[in-house]
């Protein structure tokens, strides 16, 4: 199962990199969101894919799942949601001001300060 997850994470990273290298601001935002989802899957896979055990230590269970990767992923989801919301607001505002989401056209002219 870890090999399948490694291939899936690689495909997600490849797609995110392709989207982030494009000229459209919306594709860049989708690429950063996709990259954060790839990181979440990577953290989950590195924590171990165990099934059937609860993440409880206080009840003296013979088998348990480590709750730290799950807590890290939940924190990363909240942070990536906030960052994506900020990117979307800034992109919307720049589209209102400039009328385009093309990064090459947003640069402006060389002599314009």
């Amino acid at each position: 199962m870890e090999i399948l997850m490694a291939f899936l994470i690689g495909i997600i990273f490849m797609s995110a990199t392709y989207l982030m290298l494009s000229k459209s601001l919306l594709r860049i935002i989708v690429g950063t969101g996709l990259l954060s989802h790839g990181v979440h899957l990577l953290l989950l896979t590195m924590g171990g894919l165990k099934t059937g055990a609860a993440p409880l230590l206080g009840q003296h269970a013979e088998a348990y799942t480590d709750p730290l990767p799950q807590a890290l992923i939940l924190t990363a989801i909240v942070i990536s949601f906030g960052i994506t919301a900020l990117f979307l607001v800034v992109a919307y505002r720049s589209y209102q001001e400039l009328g385009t989401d093309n990064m090459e056209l947003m640069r402006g002219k060389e002599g314009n300060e």
Side-chain angles (χ1 to χ4, degrees):
M1 186 69 175
E2 281 86 6
I3 299 296
L4 178 66
M5 290 297 287
F7 281 121
L8 180 66
I9 292 167
I11 290 170
I12 290 175
F13 280 173
M14 179 183 61
S15 302
T17 304
Y18 174 75
L19 287 172
M20 289 191 319
L21 291 175
S22 67
K23 293 181 182 178
S24 174
L25 192 58
L26 188 60
R27 284 186 180 197
I28 294 171
I29 294 170
V30 170
T32 57
L34 201 59
L35 184 70
S36 69
H37 288 310
V39 170
H40 299 157
L41 285 175
L42 181 67
L43 284 173
L44 185 67
T45 305
M46 291 299 110
L49 299 174
K50 299 175 188 163
T51 59
L56 303 172
L57 285 176
Q59 301 194 3
H60 304 293
E62 54 273 348
Y64 65 91
T65 304
D66 188 17
L68 184 63
Q70 297 171 8
L72 286 174
I73 291 169
L74 284 175
T75 305
I77 287 171
V78 171
I79 291 171
S80 68
F81 178 73
I83 295 293
T84 304
L86 176 72
F87 283 166
L88 285 172
V89 168
V90 170
Y92 179 68
R93 182 68 180 148
S94 68
Y95 183 76
Q96 281 183 334
E97 289 292 321
L98 301 172
T100 184
D101 70 337
N102 190 344
M103 293 298 288
E104 292 294 323
L105 298 175
M106 285 180 160
R107 288 178 59 190
K109 300 196 176 15
E110 299 260 340
N112 192 5
E113 294 184 30

